[in-house]
Amino acid sequence: TTLNNIGRVYDSLGDKQQALEFFKQSLPLSIEVGDRYLQATTLSNTGKVYLDLGDKQQALKFYNQSLTLYLELGDKSRQARTLN
């Protein structure tokens, strides 16, 4: 969670590459501990950064992975946000 939050701060500061580095560190840990919500959130945050960078294909890849997890978790609110 902390790594993901640090990534979000770097994203808000405009340092997209640093944000990606922290999301890349957060993702395998969230998988390892079985936190699927954090995994989905990290994937979504990564998608947002790629969208901000103009890499729409990478953004879609991460958003779709996030959406799949939210569907499995039955979280309709986050499904809607991801689709939006």
Side-chain angles (χ1 to χ4, degrees), residues 1 3-4 19-43 46 62 65 69:
T1 300
L3 291 168
N4 193 48
L20 287 174
E21 287 304 314
F22 278 92
F23 295 146
K24 286 178 187 176
Q25 292 176 54
S26 175
L27 187 59
L29 293 173
S30 64
I31 294 168
E32 185 177 329
V33 299
D35 188 336
R36 292 168 50 128
Y37 274 104
L38 181 57
Q39 181 182 350
T41 298
T42 304
L43 289 164
T46 303
F62 283 94
Q65 290 176 44
L69 285 171

Side-chain angles (χ1 to χ4, degrees), residues 23-75:
F23 295 146
K24 286 178 187 176
Q25 292 176 54
S26 175
L27 187 59
L29 293 173
S30 64
I31 294 168
E32 185 177 329
V33 299
D35 188 336
R36 292 168 50 128
Y37 274 104
L38 181 57
Q39 181 182 350
T41 298
T42 304
L43 289 164
S44 182
N45 289 340
T46 303
K48 180 202 173 294
V49 171
Y50 278 115
L51 184 62
D52 291 345
L53 290 170
D55 191 339
K56 295 176 184 177
Q57 288 300 319
Q58 277 295 92
L60 278 173
K61 174 184 151 186
F62 283 94
Y63 281 138
N64 281 323
Q65 290 176 44
S66 176
L67 180 60
T68 298
L69 285 171
Y70 287 136
L71 287 166
E72 291 172 5
L73 293 165
D75 189 327

Side-chain angles (χ1 to χ4, degrees), residues 1-13 15 18-19 22-23:
T1 300
T2 303
L3 291 168
N4 193 48
N5 289 341
I6 293 170
R8 289 178 49 221
V9 171
Y10 276 113
D11 180 32
S12 70
L13 290 170
D15 191 340
Q18 196 65 10
F22 278 92
F23 295 146

